[in-house]
Amino acid sequence: MRRVNVKGISGSGKSTFAAELARRLRLPYIELDALHHGPNWSEPTDEEFRARVREAMDTAADGWVIDGNYEGKLGDMVLREADTIVWLDLPFRVKARRLWRRSAHRIRHDVELWHGNRESWRGVLWGREALFWWMVRGHFRHRRQWPHRFASDERFVRLRSVAEAKDWLEARSG
């Protein structure tokens, strides 16, 4: 296991899980959100984003753990090179609770994310692109699409509970 893509929707714990897996495997951790979100939540063009991700992957030529999805912009760029694909498919209530706690903490403590960006209640709760609604739509879309998409892919690992994710991670002791 040298090239791992950790997938899941906001609140699934993919960043924490991927960072810990990278530590255990002694591999670089690449966070797609950090490469995607510019100042004032600006987004790169698809070409710019692909170039950033390609550069990060090439810099970590001996292996990497990448957390994130972004197939709409990246196509199969990350998936094609991954030897392991881990989907943190936790129950909706777990993801919703985690997202609420994480966002409340970030807002209350004015936590800087990437390039000076900070979460706001407006960005988390209101509007079609609000983080909470993004999580809701993604949860059901992934549950509908990914089991079929990855059904015959031997690289695919679907973890459905916090305990299952912890056990899987523990088996990769470092």
Side-chain angles (χ1 to χ4, degrees), residues 7 17 84-91 95 139-140 142-148 150-151 153-161 164-165 168:
K7 306 180 79 47
F17 183 94
T84 307
I85 302 164
V86 177
W87 176 21
L88 296 176
D89 181 27
L90 305 183
K95 290 185 274 193
H139 171 83
F140 293 105
H142 293 169
R143 286 252 171 113
R144 192 174 52 251
Q145 296 173 353
W146 287 2
H148 303 291
F150 296 109
D153 195 327
E154 294 178 5
R155 305 170 301 161
F156 190 66
V157 177
R158 183 178 184 181
L159 304 174
R160 299 175 194 236
S161 70
E164 197 174 336
W168 192 89

Side-chain angles (χ1 to χ4, degrees), residues 32-50 52 70 72-73 115 117 129 134:
L32 293 181
D33 282 343
L35 297 175
H36 185 262
H37 297 295
N40 298 312
W41 296 105
S42 62
E43 296 181 10
T45 65
D46 293 359
E47 294 76 28
E48 290 169 332
F49 187 43
R50 283 192 292 271
R52 290 175 189 176
Y70 289 101
K73 293 188 175 212
H115 309 287
N117 296 315
E129 295 303 314
W134 181 261

Side-chain angles (χ1 to χ4, degrees), residues 52-73:
R52 290 175 189 176
V53 174
R54 170 54 52 208
E55 180 180 356
M57 291 167 67
D58 289 348
T59 300
D62 291 335
W64 37 255
V65 175
I66 293 178
D67 107 46
N69 306 313
Y70 289 101
E71 279 86 14
K73 293 188 175 212

